[in-house]
Amino acid sequence: MPKLKNIVPLKKWFKGIGDSPLIIAGPCSAESETQILTTAKQIAALGKVKIFRTGIWKPRTRPGSFEGVGKQGLIWLQQVKKETGLLTAVEVARPEHIDLAVKYDVDILWIGARTTSNPFSVQELADYMKGIDKPVMVKNPINPDLQLWIGALERFNKAGIEKLAAVHRGFYPFEKTTLRNIPKWEIPIELKSLCHSLPIICDPSHIAGNTEYIAEIAQKAFDLNMDGLMIETHCNPTEALSDAEQQLTPHQLNILIENLVVRKATSDDETFTNILETLRNRIDSIDQQMIELLAQRMTVVEEIGKYKSQKQVTILQLRRWEKIVTTRIKHGKALGLSEEFVKKLLQLVHKESIQRQTEVMSKIKSSK
Ligand code: PEP
Ligand code: MN
């Protein structure tokens, strides 16, 4: 269980943050005073965004790429606050960044995915945060390691940060995928179920890596009851010095927000609650039957194991396994189940079956 104490709900972080899901928007990087102020004014004019994000120090994969404008960008952010009333958020990766961000009144600090992956850096930053009352948002580490993410959140919480949130930005894909980072939704869901009070914000821009998929991912995040979105927005994305392919214009951001369906986590409607209850009862009963059937299957598997052992036959019967896969996939497809799902399920069941047979055979062998 994560040891996170006294987490403050998002809406209590600042006055006027409101009840609706929080939208954070702004360019990947601060590039010039004009770019920052134009983007911020266009975003503020939508009236739907409360927090303006931007990168001042950029962690780039290779040296020599645009590494951020540094300190002068913080002066532009002060200007943004003054002229638009938006709150500001920047990524910090070194204690000097925290020091400067605090000096220039940045409202929220976030820890980037690369930094979260390194407990030494996280601890150094958490130590520096002691006594500083600023909200901290912690992006997930690059690799899908929930414990590492929790560890980083715990380090800040132990340092006294109670206005704390997690940002889900997807995980590095080792295979080629259409998305830049694999969402692995089960990881933020697990985090939320381990710590109900922790706000989780989704960053669909870094998951997508491309403007095409951002809306779909944002909707999915809302459907999973996430608390907000961080969306990269630039007044002129094609000219952006970093992440040009994934930044929306403020106009595109507006369309995206307008089309988002915000569903409620619960409903007071009695009929709805009753129907939901009935459906959940059905699910419970089906799950129970599924578990019982799997247990029965394993009993039969053990019988087969004994039999194979008597006849000195190998556990893995490749042809039989291939036949199982093809027939079950065909059956599943006829019932509307995807090939991928049926295959994964069978692989899991088959692995357990082989394990059971191995155990049966070694027991028989040792009793001889
Ligand atoms: C960013 O938000 O611009 C960024 C660098 O993100 P991440 O740390 O998720 O890669
Ligand atoms: Mn970016």
Side-chain angles (χ1 to χ4, degrees):
M1 271 310 213
K3 294 190 186 81
L4 298 177
K5 280 196 279 189
N6 306 329
I7 299 296
V8 180
L10 268 185
K11 58 181 173 196
K12 294 204 175 137
W13 283 15
F14 297 95
K15 264 199 206 102
I17 263 194
D19 279 326
S20 48
L22 188 68
I23 312 278
I24 302 168
C28 177
S29 305
E31 298 161 3
S32 70
E33 186 174 3
T34 317
Q35 171 247 8
I36 283 294
L37 284 161
T38 312
T39 310
K41 282 180 193 164
Q42 290 179 4
I43 287 176
L46 307 178
K48 301 176 172 99
V49 176
K50 297 277 167 19
I51 301 167
F52 183 75
R53 64 142 280 158
T54 197
I56 297 286
W57 302 279
K58 299 303 295 179
R60 305 310 299 275
T61 306
R62 306 270 310 271
S65 325
F66 173 65
E67 289 183 333
V69 292
K71 200 166 137 184
Q72 59 174 325
L74 296 170
I75 302 172
W76 307 335
L77 283 183
Q78 278 186 321
Q79 232 11 55
V80 166
K81 280 176 68 149
K82 215 164 83 196
E83 294 190 24
T84 66
L86 290 169
L87 296 160
T88 55
V90 300
E91 172 176 349
V92 290
R94 313 261 322 118
E96 306 90 271
H97 299 164
I98 300 179
D99 187 45
L100 284 165
V102 171
K103 271 197 190 114
Y104 285 84
D105 318 312
V106 171
D107 298 293
I108 299 169
L109 309 176
W110 91 76
I111 310 302
R114 289 159 194 80
T115 309
T116 309
S117 306
N118 183 346
F120 284 132
S121 302
V122 172
Q123 191 57 57
E124 192 182 26
L125 297 172
D127 289 341
Y128 202 82
M129 283 304 292
K130 278 184 192 150
I132 298 177
D133 182 24
K134 294 262 180 213
V136 174
M137 305 192 296
V138 180
K139 287 203 170 192
N140 65 254
I142 300 277
N143 48 324
D145 184 343
L146 176 58
Q147 293 308 315
L148 197 56
W149 197 5
I150 291 175
L153 290 157
E154 284 174 337
R155 287 177 204 274
F156 283 101
N157 190 238
K158 269 183 134 179
I161 304 298
E162 294 172 348
K163 290 178 194 133
L164 193 63
V167 180
H168 168 232
R169 50 79 79 200
F171 303 90
Y172 182 78
F174 288 98
E175 317 86 41
K176 230 188 140 6
T177 53
T178 41
L179 299 176
R180 180 176 175 190
N181 288 292
I182 301 179
K184 288 189 172 290
W185 296 101
E186 68 280 11
I187 295 184
I189 291 172
E190 174 80 6
L191 178 61
K192 190 78 178 178
S193 68
L194 290 174
C195 185
H196 292 202
S197 59
L198 182 74
I200 303 187
I201 287 163
C202 180
D203 169 350
S205 309
H206 286 87
I207 293 176
N210 186 308
T211 52
E212 204 185 320
Y213 305 109
I214 297 179
E216 196 183 307
I217 299 164
Q219 184 61 55
K220 171 104 181 182
F222 270 17
D223 292 345
L224 292 175
N225 218 357
M226 294 210 180
D227 303 271
L229 297 171
M230 182 193 265
I231 301 182
E232 284 192 341
T233 312
H234 191 293
C235 58
N236 190 0
T238 48
E239 301 284 307
L241 297 180
S242 60
D243 290 349
E245 316 76 46
Q246 72 191 32
Q247 303 202 59
L248 300 179
T249 61
H251 175 65
Q252 289 170 322
L253 175 70
N254 192 35
I255 297 173
L256 183 149
I257 301 173
E258 297 260 289
N259 287 322
L260 278 175
V261 183
V262 186
R263 299 180 233 275
K264 286 179 281 178
T266 52
S267 168
D268 302 331
D269 181 336
E270 212 176 303
T271 326
F272 168 82
T273 322
N274 287 342
I275 294 175
L276 193 66
E277 198 54 41
T278 316
L279 291 173
R280 281 181 174 158
N281 287 339
R282 274 173 64 190
I283 292 278
D284 289 348
S285 151
I286 293 169
D287 283 355
Q288 200 181 346
Q289 292 176 61
M290 241 167 35
I291 300 283
E292 282 164 10
L293 280 173
L294 283 170
Q296 272 179 39
R297 190 187 199 278
M298 290 308 155
T299 319
V300 179
V301 159
E302 286 181 359
E303 283 288 309
I304 294 180
K306 277 185 213 152
Y307 198 60
K308 279 183 187 163
S309 182
Q310 280 168 18
K311 301 282 173 205
Q312 301 282 5
V313 174
T314 57
I315 293 181
L316 182 66
Q317 302 279 318
L318 211 51
R319 278 227 197 92
R320 163 76 181 148
W321 167 237
E322 283 165 0
K323 198 170 160 207
I324 288 185
V325 175
T326 41
T327 53
R328 289 7 170 216
I329 285 177
K330 197 171 159 206
H331 187 191
K333 269 191 185 159
L335 296 171
L337 298 175
S338 80
E339 174 167 345
E340 196 199 353
F341 172 66
V342 175
K343 208 165 165 182
K344 270 195 191 148
L345 189 68
L346 285 173
Q347 278 166 342
L348 205 63
V349 171
H350 190 234
K351 195 173 155 208
E352 178 69 12
S353 304
I354 288 183
Q355 174 70 21
R356 290 290 186 110
Q357 291 194 12
T358 313
E359 282 166 14
V360 167
M361 285 194 174
S362 60
K363 241 189 243 161
I364 293 176
K365 209 169 143 200
S366 61
S367 67
K368 270 183 187 160

